[in-house]
Amino acid sequence: MESTFDKWLAGAGALVALLVVAAGLTFQNTRRLNEDASWVAHTHDVIDTLDEIIVSMREAEAVQRSSIITDDESRSAEVTAGIDAAKRSVETLRRLTDDNPDQQARISDVQKGIADLAGLWSYTARVRNEQGFEAARNIISSDKADRAMTKLHGALRQMGDSERTLLDERAAKTERTYCSAILTGLLTGVAAVTGIVAFMVLLRRHLAVRKRAEHALQEADCRKDEFLATLAHELRNPLAPLRNALQVMRLAGGNVELLEQARGIMDRQLSQLVRLVDDLLDVSRISRGKIELRKERVELAAVVQSAVETSRPLIEQTGQQLTVTVPQQPVYVDADVTRLAQACMNLLNNAAKYSEPGGQIWLTVERHGSEVALSVKDTGTGIAASELPRIFDLFTQVHRSLDKAQGGLGIGLSLVKRLVEMHGGRIEAKSEGPGRGSEFIMTLPVLTDAPDPPSTHESENLASFKSSLRILIVDDNLDGAQSLAAMLKMMGNDTCTAYEGLEGLDAAERFRPHVILLDIGLPKLDGFEVCRRIRQQPWGKNMVVVAVTGWGQDHDRRRSQEAGFDQHLVKPANLPALTKLLAEVNSAND
Ligand code: ADP
């Protein structure tokens, strides 16, 4: 949540930065354009001033000539005004070109030209006064006057040429600045618009995803509520007959038939309860990654046989016909037999549960190259196409009705899917629609190496196993402790039970058992501490102390080893492992 917020903050920051850069570039370009344009205007001012000088001097020359002809002395003031105007323009010129040393140097030529012409005109006026028109005309028509004017012209042209060159350069620079301003403006504009659009699109998408997630959450919440309602119903279902059966036992007196009937009811209902709780525990353990598969090379037919044996009573009870087809050649898979059979059994039970009496179920195994497909097909209620995609989701129930005969919690298929995936396989569901049957196909990788030699199952010898040991059982689960003690007694052992840590310690000292089956989570003193204290006693050094606990992770095993336990068994204790251990201790004591 926080990281999503950070991402959006970063995105908004980047967008603002982009907009700031775009604004900065636009501002800079506008400033450069203004600067360049003002230089162009400045050059125009210089050229205009040069023109003004020449115009003023030409007008003054014309007035001076006409005053010589007409002998009108009053016009000499106009000549002086023209010269003064030219001089003022020179001052303007000096100011305008104060950044240009070359032009400044040329101004003195202009000044000199103006001064020469002014001197010549004043001399000509004096000659007209003193010597008459002819003498003055000679001066005017002499090339002295022309040379003076040409010199001034030359100085002004030089300055004009230089300014025009500058004007060209400055105009070209302005054009370049203008082009680059347009380009940068365009690019930053496009980038900014793209950024804003992208931001908006992503925001919309994010909001849509969030909405979907909220919707999914609501749906999951709804499914959870439905699940809890179903769970309550499913748990209550076996509880009522159990209570009734207890009542029957209480009232039955010595009626063996009634007692046997009640026992049968209790047995069946307990199995139903155990199945529900087991499913729940399994799905939770798988979700938390706490199920470890005990994989070995197994023939798939053996898995099928185990599943069929377990499901057959239900299939027969619901009046279904089951047809099993497996390939003649054995197909081996790397699997945990119990778990894979559990998955297969779930599919068979569902086929029976969701079919009308008298329906047909086919279990077919077919090998396709390096894979094997196990299909369970039925002629039952079928599944609507809209339900197929979520059929493997946890707590999904298509045919939800609280009065259905064979209940469930909507976790069976989810469990199957996870178990199959843990075996490196996949599962798919097919149905042509309601009322048209369903098919579930699990596909697993086939083991292709040579088969292992058949192993001898110790469990075959379990029934006949006998030992004569003193065994202390310490467990705060009274029923668990007592039933284990009863079983060990039937094997020929002498047993003693204790239900909390300190009591267990006392019992160990008194009873001096060969073997202690010690739970870890105990009241008053935990199993680790009990074991440590036993090991500190001279009588406890050689006792075989076995941890029997619900915790089976590596670090739990390490802890129990550090506390002094000889072995670590995970509840419910694996019977072959327990009998093997007892056999070892028994033969060591013989
Ligand atoms: P449960 O059977 O406990 O409800 P599952 O996870 O095993 O839960 O199945 C989920 C749902 O899928 C069932 O409630 C049922 O609606 C549907 N379903 C499963 N198997 C079949 C089948 N063979 N035919 C029709 N519907 C099925």
Side-chain angles (χ1 to χ4, degrees):
M1 189 77 178
E2 205 165 290
S3 84
T4 316
F5 178 73
D6 287 350
K7 267 190 215 155
W8 281 109
L9 207 64
L15 187 60
V16 170
L18 188 67
L19 291 175
V20 168
V21 169
L25 283 174
T26 312
F27 175 74
Q28 200 184 357
N29 284 334
T30 316
R31 204 173 53 80
R32 276 175 55 199
L33 260 176
N34 274 339
E35 212 169 85
D36 289 355
S38 80
W39 274 112
V40 170
H42 176 87
T43 318
H44 275 297
D45 285 350
V46 175
I47 293 171
D48 288 350
T49 313
L50 290 170
D51 288 346
E52 277 167 22
I53 294 173
I54 202 73
V55 168
S56 302
M57 290 306 283
R58 282 263 182 240
E59 279 175 7
E61 185 188 44
V63 173
Q64 199 265 347
R65 285 190 178 181
S66 82
S67 75
I68 294 291
I69 296 166
T70 57
D71 194 17
D72 181 357
E73 268 191 51
S74 66
R75 300 200 69 184
S76 68
E78 279 181 54
V79 176
T80 313
I83 294 170
D84 285 349
K87 282 181 180 168
R88 277 198 302 281
S89 296
V90 169
E91 283 318 306
T92 309
L93 196 61
R94 190 186 299 287
R95 200 167 26 77
L96 288 174
T97 57
D98 63 354
D99 61 314
N100 188 337
D102 292 345
Q103 293 291 61
Q104 290 276 309
R106 287 178 195 123
I107 285 177
S108 47
D109 292 344
V110 175
Q111 261 180 326
K112 188 161 178 307
I114 293 171
D116 286 354
L117 277 171
L120 189 65
W121 290 339
S122 124
Y123 171 67
T124 314
R126 236 183 9 256
V127 169
R128 172 74 171 93
N129 258 352
E130 290 166 7
Q131 297 170 31
F133 172 73
E134 218 33 58
R137 194 178 66 91
N138 285 343
I139 297 172
I140 289 170
S141 51
S142 73
D143 63 344
K144 203 173 172 191
D146 273 350
R147 262 192 284 121
M149 188 51 95
T150 312
K151 227 168 141 188
L152 176 62
H153 259 276
L156 289 170
R157 197 181 317 111
Q158 258 194 11
M159 285 192 79
D161 288 350
S162 165
E163 282 305 316
R164 266 180 283 279
T165 312
L166 274 177
L167 185 63
D168 288 347
E169 284 170 7
R170 283 171 181 168
K173 188 168 174 238
T174 310
E175 198 164 321
R176 280 200 304 278
T177 311
Y178 183 69
C179 286
S180 97
I182 287 194
L183 203 71
T184 342
L186 221 72
L187 286 179
T188 47
V190 168
V193 170
T194 314
I196 291 172
V197 171
F199 189 78
M200 298 306 286
V201 168
L202 288 178
L203 191 65
R204 264 185 73 122
R205 199 173 295 166
H206 171 70
L207 290 178
V209 168
R210 223 173 112 157
K211 209 164 161 190
R212 272 205 301 278
E214 272 168 16
H215 186 71
L217 216 66
Q218 273 170 1
E219 210 170 82
D221 199 39
C222 205
R223 282 224 300 273
K224 186 201 73 196
D225 288 346
E226 283 176 6
F227 163 74
L228 287 177
T230 316
L231 178 62
H233 176 262
E234 292 302 320
L235 290 178
R236 199 168 291 143
N237 257 353
L239 290 182
L242 272 174
R243 184 178 279 163
N244 295 345
L246 269 178
Q247 190 65 13
V248 168
M249 285 174 112
R250 210 171 283 138
L251 301 175
N255 188 329
V256 181
E257 200 180 322
L258 273 179
L259 282 174
E260 186 52 30
Q261 198 182 7
R263 197 199 59 75
I265 293 173
M266 290 177 84
D267 196 26
R268 278 191 300 281
Q269 298 305 323
L270 260 178
S271 306
Q272 169 79 352
L273 264 178
V274 168
R275 191 177 64 76
L276 283 177
V277 174
D278 280 352
D279 274 5
L280 270 175
L281 281 178
D282 280 353
V283 86
S284 137
R285 277 196 217 123
I286 289 183
S287 305
R288 289 179 292 133
K290 294 227 159 154
I291 279 200
E292 274 175 34
L293 295 184
R294 294 193 193 128
K295 285 193 191 170
E296 56 184 326
R297 161 188 284 278
V298 281
E299 202 187 326
L300 195 54
V303 176
V304 169
Q305 191 186 353
S306 158
V308 168
E309 270 168 19
T310 321
S311 295
R312 199 176 286 284
L314 176 67
I315 295 172
E316 280 170 3
Q317 188 189 328
T318 48
Q320 318 287 333
Q321 282 290 323
L322 174 65
T323 311
V324 180
T325 316
V326 290
Q328 280 190 340
Q329 286 295 320
V331 180
Y332 291 93
V333 287
D334 186 25
D336 182 324
V337 190
T338 318
R339 294 300 182 181
L340 200 57
Q342 181 186 0
C344 183
M345 177 204 78
N346 257 316
L347 295 182
L348 282 172
N349 284 358
N350 275 353
K353 265 160 55 176
Y354 300 108
S355 297
E356 297 304 320
Q360 179 72 43
I361 301 171
W362 294 271
L363 193 164
T364 314
V365 177
E366 270 174 10
R367 183 171 174 169
H368 305 288
S370 59
E371 289 185 329
V372 58
L374 186 156
S375 137
V376 176
K377 193 173 170 187
D378 61 56
T379 49
T381 54
I383 302 162
S386 58
E387 299 291 345
L388 279 176
R390 57 183 199 100
I391 200 83
F392 294 103
D393 290 355
L394 199 54
F395 310 144
T396 293
Q397 289 191 301
V398 183
H399 316 283
R400 185 180 295 279
S401 78
L402 290 181
D403 62 341
K404 67 178 179 261
Q406 299 293 336
L409 296 172
I411 55 180
L413 284 182
S414 166
L415 201 63
V416 172
K417 181 167 188 272
R418 292 176 200 205
L419 285 173
V420 170
E421 282 171 356
M422 283 173 82
H423 280 89
R426 58 184 186 279
I427 181 151
E428 68 175 314
K430 290 182 180 172
S431 172
E432 287 181 8
R436 307 185 64 182
S438 319
E439 184 178 11
F440 289 82
I441 306 163
M442 64 162 92
T443 309
L444 295 164
V446 171
L447 265 189
T448 42
D449 350 332
D452 291 338
S455 62
T456 52
H457 283 287
E458 286 161 76
S459 55
E460 283 163 19
N461 304 323
L462 282 183
S464 56
F465 176 78
K466 292 269 177 248
S467 61
S468 48
L469 298 166
R470 279 191 307 281
I471 304 175
L472 167 64
I473 299 132
V474 190
D475 193 336
D476 58 341
N477 181 332
L478 211 103
D479 284 349
Q482 285 182 352
S483 53
L484 186 58
M487 191 182 77
L488 292 170
K489 232 179 210 153
M490 286 160 115
M491 290 177 180
N493 302 290
D494 189 5
T495 62
C496 171
T497 46
Y499 308 110
E500 39 99 338
L502 279 177
E503 192 191 340
L505 201 59
D506 281 353
E509 185 164 11
R510 260 185 299 105
F511 186 56
R512 300 290 167 93
H514 296 103
V515 178
I516 307 181
L517 300 175
L518 180 53
D519 187 15
I520 300 281
L522 288 171
K524 300 203 177 153
L525 208 60
D526 71 28
F528 293 129
E529 193 49 38
V530 174
C531 183
R532 260 182 232 115
R533 293 198 191 175
I534 289 174
R535 291 301 188 210
Q536 281 162 8
Q537 306 305 320
W539 48 262
K541 296 240 180 315
N542 295 324
M543 275 178 190
V544 177
V545 190
V546 182
V548 185
T549 164
W551 309 108
Q553 300 290 93
D554 281 351
H555 65 267
D556 301 317
R557 290 175 191 278
R558 222 176 12 255
R559 271 192 78 188
S560 60
Q561 204 178 10
E562 282 162 11
F565 282 98
D566 294 292
Q567 287 223 22
H568 186 114
L569 298 180
V570 180
K571 275 184 188 171
N574 175 321
L575 214 51
L578 187 61
T579 45
K580 183 166 171 263
L581 173 101
L582 296 182
E584 280 168 12
V585 182
N586 207 32
S587 59
N589 277 287
D590 277 348

